[in-house]
Amino acid sequence: MDQPSRNLVIGILAPVDAGKTTLAESILYNCKSIRKWGRVDNKDAFLDTYELEKSRGITIFAKQAEFDLGERHVNLLDTPGHVDFSAEMERTLQVLDAAILVISGADGVQGHVITLWRLLQRYEVPAFIFVNKMDQPGTDRAARLRELQEKLSEHCIDFSEDRDEEVFGESLAMCDEVCLEHYLETGEVEEREIRRLIRERKAFPCHFGSALKEPEGVQELLATIDRYLESPGYGEVFGAKVFKITRDAQGTRLTYLKVTGGRLKVKQLLTNRREGMDEDAVWEEKADQIRIYSGAGFRTVDEAEAGSVCAVTGLTKTFSGEGLGAEASSGMPILEPVLTYQIQLPEGCDVHGMFVKLSQLEEEIPELHIAWQEELQEIHAQVMGEVQIEILKSMIAERYGVEVEFGQGSIVYKETICNAVEGVGHFEPLRHYAEVHLLLEPGEPGSGLQFGSACSEDILDKNWQRLILTHLEEKKHRGVLTGSEITDMRITLVAGRAHVKHTEGGDFRQSTYRAVRQGLMQAENVLLEPVYEFRLEVPNDRVGRALSDIQKMQGSFEPPVQEGEISVIVGQAPVSTMGGYQAEVTAYSRGTGHLFCTLKGYEPCHNAEEVIESIGYAPELDLENPTGSVFCTHGAGFVVPWDEVPDYMHVDSGLRLIQRDLPQPEPESPAAMRNFSVGSGVDDKELQQIFQRTYGGSGSKDGWNGRRRTGGGEKVVYRAPKPAKEPEEEYLLVDGYNIIFSWDELRELAAENIEAARGLLMDILCNYQGYRKCTLILVYDAYKVKGNPGEITKYNNIYVVYTKEAETADQYIEKTVHQLGRHYRVTVATSDALEQVIILGQGGERMSAAGLKEEVERAGAEISSLCRKRTPGTKNYLFDHLPEGMADWMEEIRLGRRQWPDKSGEQ
């Protein structure tokens, strides 16, 4: 059973200039954690420890401080308020027990406040609201409370000591049906019920005051937290959540984490090991030192108990959001940069060395997404805004001694799909093997990537399935339109295959990546662009100009609302068109207009074709993200293009994507399906049948018709693979040259005349087919003949295939066995050992060259035996082959004993 902890982790959140750091100073001073009350404008605030923070007067990095509140110990996390550093703030939310949301009484609920509120809701953090700067002229407590209830939640309740108790009780009762029933019966709400309402985010206590001039409001806030905030419970099993990576003045790497179960001790061995995880990705490291920071200073401890926040040295592989022990890792963050910039290095700077250093910086600021653009030979980073750029330039100069510049910013696009497809990835160079089948489906907007498995353990072991899901999660997969990151998709593992001896973990990484790319190449892809939600405040006489600008920016808006001399317009518009619009607003409103923007998310790009053309991304030329698969023949791997992979794949997933409202193409002629030249004398109908049996009809491959389909959607039906049918027809595929050079008499003849050897083998097999009554396909290599389109002819009662340029007999046979083996009994005659293994994996039967020779000789012997039984004499007479009664009757006519009947039937 979880035991309540005496530790609390409370964060302070606010938009810029709301007085957040001042409130933190007031809290620490009132709780006697610090002796001197520092101020931001005096550059001596306790939590502004970084020189750039002091000089700019803003919080850049989250800071930790300690204080005691009643009988409990509180870790206070002061988070950045500027929108450019909001990603740092979001990372701290995953470890908070509660949050104090600070709002300026003078400014009210601004756009960034709503963003913070949504984040608290997403991370399910109980919230206490402190309306600061209420000492300024024009602030009204009742008006601000109404605004909170209208814009944040109707359950924002005034918890001030001078509150109206009747209104207070009624407001709490309306938060929950259980409370309402109890209130109607007793006329009061119990204290434990108030705690529950706050814990479940059904009630939000509000306090009003001035952190700088009126300590009473701060003291009331602390009293409410102490009285009504419940301590979370933790289990005995160790767990921890990493939320921040940084380095101290000596360059020591610090991993900030919250212990969420058990205890963390010095020299304790920590690991990221998970069941089914690739061993190459597993790390084990010791916690060398445990530090408890408060401002710039810290104290070391031997152990950290559950509920506490600490910094650990000795860990080199951790990352923000990672779960250790029993704690699960976090999902993708909501706040991400929407602009990417080239980092311009000074002349003579080591580009690759600098890339390594910047990658270390990315550990501390994960949203940077430092990337090396191979095609451009440039380093790129994603940045939240201009202020963050200035801070990054200062940090790089201070830490690495290099003065860098940032180029012109460009939009961070993303991609998704709008139809369901099956992606197949196969990786089989020599002594490696893995195949993966994925179902890619469009997800809800803003849902990100979701991964799951619908594959039976009878088809693929559970440990391989977990490994595939790990590989899906570990990488940012690139789309095929612009090479941008994909999002808003459900990716489900539906089938796969491993080899008992040759499969390694890295094989499934390759096949998984290739399956995603192969599926994207087939899908109808959609380019997404970031979209802002905005609140525009302009004078009433400038509304027309504002609405005209919004329409030009491809935006949409609600009808303007007048608030005195100011009109408020809310709406949304693409980020790409709103760049620099704040300066325009300031200019045409003469400084009285204000624009507040928050990232809404990603929506279909308004000028997709233009963007795709300007970027010029070629997915099939992206060697780092291949679209094709690797198969094996003759002991060597060969690459199969993405659109031909289904013809070579080894596994039938049982997945059927049924088209709806899509025009079905007319069946193509055999000549259109494959560019073969056909020999004369072959019946078109027979040729159509052999093409259908070998390749399948052109209309039978729903889901493989190219990547830019338009029209209706698909219905996804998953059917388990059906058991094999009873063989209805037998096929024998013969590797011609392999047999010729395996049989002594044919090999000797081929040394003199290869044409004669081919002809003799064809005659032998015609004789054999007449006895076996199977469909026999004799395959000859012609892949070295430049420009050869391939040829299929019928020679007596067998089919003879000459492969096209660059296609070996082995490849043709593998492809044909894959198509025919699902419905017929297929045997392949070859002495190529590797080919025999592949054929067995495809479900076909194997016959060696020696085995075929024995079969041919046995068939010849049986044919001769039958002939001898039917003609026992040494000569062949006319009547020997007539039925016995007819032969006697004809013999009597020959001897004149009978007459041939006339037309009347008389003899």
Side-chain angles (χ1 to χ4, degrees), residues 698-719:
S698 63
S700 64
K701 291 186 178 181
D702 284 345
W704 308 102
N705 297 327
R707 97 172 202 236
R708 290 188 182 273
R709 285 198 305 273
T710 58
E714 294 79 14
K715 179 182 179 183
V716 181
V717 180
Y718 184 81
R719 303 186 182 97

Side-chain angles (χ1 to χ4, degrees), residues 877-907:
Y877 292 99
L878 176 63
F879 297 161
D880 287 347
H881 298 284
L882 292 175
E884 186 174 350
M886 178 63 75
D888 294 341
W889 187 67
M890 290 297 294
E891 180 65 18
E892 290 184 4
I893 291 177
R894 186 182 71 81
L895 296 175
R897 297 172 185 172
R898 286 177 180 265
Q899 296 294 323
W900 191 265
D902 57 20
K903 292 182 179 180
S904 63
E906 296 180 358
Q907 295 185 356

Side-chain angles (χ1 to χ4, degrees), residues 425-429 432-435 506-507 510-511 514 629-631:
H426 187 97
F427 187 70
E428 190 188 1
H432 294 268
Y433 188 94
E435 182 167 304
D507 299 343
Q510 284 289 331
S511 57
R514 293 169 189 267
S629 288
V630 179
F631 289 80

